[in-house]
Each structure stands twice: as structure tokens, then as C-alpha cells.
Amino acid sequence: MHSFDMIIYGASFQGIVLAKHYSEQGLSVALFHRYGFPGGMISTSFSVYQEIDFKLLDSDMLSARTLKQILSEEGGCLYRDDTHVIVNPEIYKMMLMAVLQKINGSILFYSVPVKVVQNESESIVSFILREGRRDYRCSRLIDASESGDVLRLIRPLEKTDHRVYNCFIKSRHEPRFQSFRKILPLTDGRWWASVNFYAAKDQDPSVVMHESLDDLYKEMILQDAVVQLIPMIPEQVFHITDDDTSLYRGLVKNAEDIEKIFINTMGGDIYDTKNYDRH
């Protein structure tokens, strides 16, 4: 069985910052991730509309420098106002991959956690990988996924009633749809749309999302518009308590936190990362 000082699950913005920091402190670090690309909810759900403190971008923190590189890359910032930005999800993933390549540790994509066994001194985490099921031991376990994937193996988490998906639309004029919660123009001529939908507790939100997308597709055709990019999954929010934060570092504890992934990673009100995010 492979052993590490630290196992981090979730190559989210926060998870990558944590992995790079602790590996540079001399710890043996393994970063696991469900998909074949990094970025967390910003990549999988297109939760790209993010609050930002522009003053923090001039700090020497890894998170600030990484975000500044993303925003300064050509096409990296698709929208900006006084308090928020919309990042290009493709450039965002590309820049995070560049950070991952500099981490002195083990990076394992396509890893799905299925079991956690803990005692006072260590945790053993079972993952389903491409080559099958494997167990890994660590002294410290961190869940940096934004949906509590590891935490949910330790105790049940209740889903909130947050039902939102986001997509990109190509249109010469502002698209209109009855379920839009937010629609913003982008610098490349497209629109970013955030859409409400309803799913009962016994319904799979991903299935209902696609049913809503079918309606959106039809409506956009009538408006001479095209839905260009759709998310892999809708936004998911679970009820997470303050007691869970010793393990859970995914930054999303309620729906409002979805727009604060960057600002909380750089030292927001909920998680102060300034103490460890310096290089």
C-alpha cells in the first residue's frame, strides 16, 4: 500500500494551491481528482462568474499569481466589472495544468473515492482508478472537492435545494429565457448564462438539467442563437457544518460561496489561506 504524508482529493483551485504549498514544505503529497482535467466546479459546472478583490492580485501568494496569469492571458478574462470576473474555462484549465506540472508529488486523475477508514493517527482511502481499486494511507486527509466527495464517505451530507446550471451562448443580441437567473455579455461576442431549474428530491439533477437544456436549445433556435458550451454537471451544494472544515477545504458551504472560490482561496472571510499560500 502506498503511503503519503498528505492526501488531497480534488484538483480544484484550492486543492492545487494546497498541494503545491505542502509539497514545497517537504511533505509527500498525493493529489487525486475525479476527472482528467483540473478546476473543480469552475471547470465542470462553468461556475466562472467569480467575486474578486483586485488588490489581492498584487500579492505574492501562489493563488493570486496564478489567477493574475489566467486573467492576463489573451482571452483569459471574458467579463469584468468592479467586483467580479468571468474566466475562460479552457484557459483556466490550461493554466492550472501548468501549476500541476510543477508540483513535486503524485497527481492521479480519473480517481473516484469509494471508502475512508480513519483512526487517530492515519486515514486509509480507497479509490477506483483506471487500473482498478487501490488503497492509499496518509497521515492527513483533505477534501478539496467542492461537493464533499470524501466527506460524504465519512458521514451523510444533505443536498441543498440549489438547482442551477451555467452555459455559454452565441448570439448577436441578448438571449431571453424564462429561467435565466443571470445573463452577461462576454468579450468574445458570446453570453454566459446562469439558469435555474427545478428537480424534486427523488430526481437526478443532471437528468433534469438536460431536460431544461433541451427547452433552452429550442428557444435559442427561435432567437437565432446557439447554445455552444454546456456543463458536465449542474452546480451542487451540500449542507456542511463548521465541524467539517478540519477535513473539508472545498470552500463551498452554501450557494453564495460558489461565487467566492477565488476570493476565499486568497484569504476571504471563511478560509484564511494567507498563512500558507506564500512562496
Side-chain angles (χ1 to χ4, degrees):
M1 184 187 304
H2 290 288
S3 296
F4 300 94
D5 294 323
M6 178 174 292
I7 287 177
I8 299 172
Y9 179 76
S12 60
F13 193 73
Q14 168 84 335
I16 291 172
V17 169
L18 288 167
K20 192 168 192 304
H21 167 74
Y22 286 117
S23 66
E24 291 184 351
Q25 298 301 306
L27 299 179
S28 59
V29 175
L31 177 63
F32 292 81
H33 192 61
R34 178 180 296 266
Y35 302 105
F37 54 86
M41 192 178 288
I42 293 175
S43 297
T44 58
S45 302
F46 292 155
S47 306
V48 292
Y49 181 71
Q50 291 291 317
E51 184 178 344
I52 190 169
D53 183 344
F54 291 100
K55 294 180 292 184
L56 286 175
L57 289 180
D58 293 326
S59 74
D60 63 347
M61 295 184 291
L62 169 64
S63 56
R65 289 188 282 110
T66 302
L67 181 55
K68 191 172 184 179
Q69 289 175 341
I70 293 168
L71 298 177
S72 60
E73 187 78 11
E74 183 177 357
C77 181
L78 298 175
Y79 171 90
R80 173 172 173 168
D81 60 26
D82 292 340
T83 58
H84 288 76
V85 296
I86 290 179
V87 297
N88 185 322
E90 296 305 317
I91 290 178
Y92 172 73
K93 288 186 287 187
M94 179 184 70
M95 300 301 289
L96 291 187
M97 285 296 295
V99 176
L100 284 172
Q101 291 172 2
K102 298 177 182 178
I103 293 177
N104 182 23
S106 298
I107 313 295
L108 294 98
F109 283 159
Y110 302 108
S111 303
V112 180
V114 293
K115 185 178 181 181
V116 177
V117 177
Q118 292 183 302
N119 58 40
E120 292 182 357
S121 61
E122 65 180 17
S123 298
I124 297 176
V125 189
S126 300
F127 290 94
I128 300 296
L129 311 175
R130 282 180 165 178
E131 58 270 29
R133 180 166 174 159
R134 298 287 187 274
D135 295 338
Y136 298 87
R137 178 185 288 112
C138 65
S139 300
R140 185 178 179 191
L141 175 63
I142 290 179
D143 184 353
S145 71
E146 287 133 348
S147 52
D149 291 356
V150 171
L151 181 58
R152 281 187 280 142
L153 295 174
I154 298 172
R155 75 172 188 84
L157 294 180
E158 181 184 356
K159 278 188 179 182
T160 69
D161 59 1
H162 181 76
R163 298 290 185 267
V164 171
Y165 66 86
N166 309 298
C167 62
F168 290 81
I169 299 172
K170 182 70 173 179
S171 177
R172 289 174 294 180
H173 51 81
E174 181 175 340
R176 300 188 182 279
F177 187 60
Q178 61 181 0
S179 299
F180 280 162
R181 61 190 289 267
K182 192 181 295 290
I183 181 81
L184 292 170
L186 306 180
T187 57
D188 60 4
R190 296 181 297 173
W191 299 79
W192 175 80
S194 185
V195 187
N196 288 314
F197 68 99
Y198 172 78
K201 286 189 176 182
D202 60 347
Q203 290 179 300
D204 184 337
S206 293
V207 173
V208 182
M209 177 189 77
H210 284 284
E211 293 173 350
S212 173
L213 276 166
D214 285 342
D215 294 336
L216 178 60
Y217 276 116
K218 294 172 185 176
E219 181 61 33
M220 291 302 99
I221 290 173
L222 296 176
Q223 298 180 31
D224 195 26
V226 178
V227 180
Q228 284 197 325
L229 291 175
I230 64 172
M232 295 181 64
I233 55 175
E235 294 179 346
Q236 296 185 87
V237 181
F238 292 84
H239 289 292
I240 294 173
T241 69
D242 290 337
D243 293 337
D244 296 323
T245 55
S246 60
L247 168 67
Y248 177 75
R249 300 297 296 272
L251 300 180
V252 176
K253 295 174 62 181
N254 53 61
E256 289 73 24
D257 288 339
I258 294 174
E259 294 183 7
K260 298 181 178 182
I261 292 171
F262 289 151
I263 199 168
N264 284 335
T265 301
M266 291 190 289
D269 294 335
I270 299 177
Y271 295 89
D272 179 10
T273 59
K274 295 177 184 179
N275 293 326
Y276 66 72
D277 184 22
R278 293 193 177 276
H279 297 77

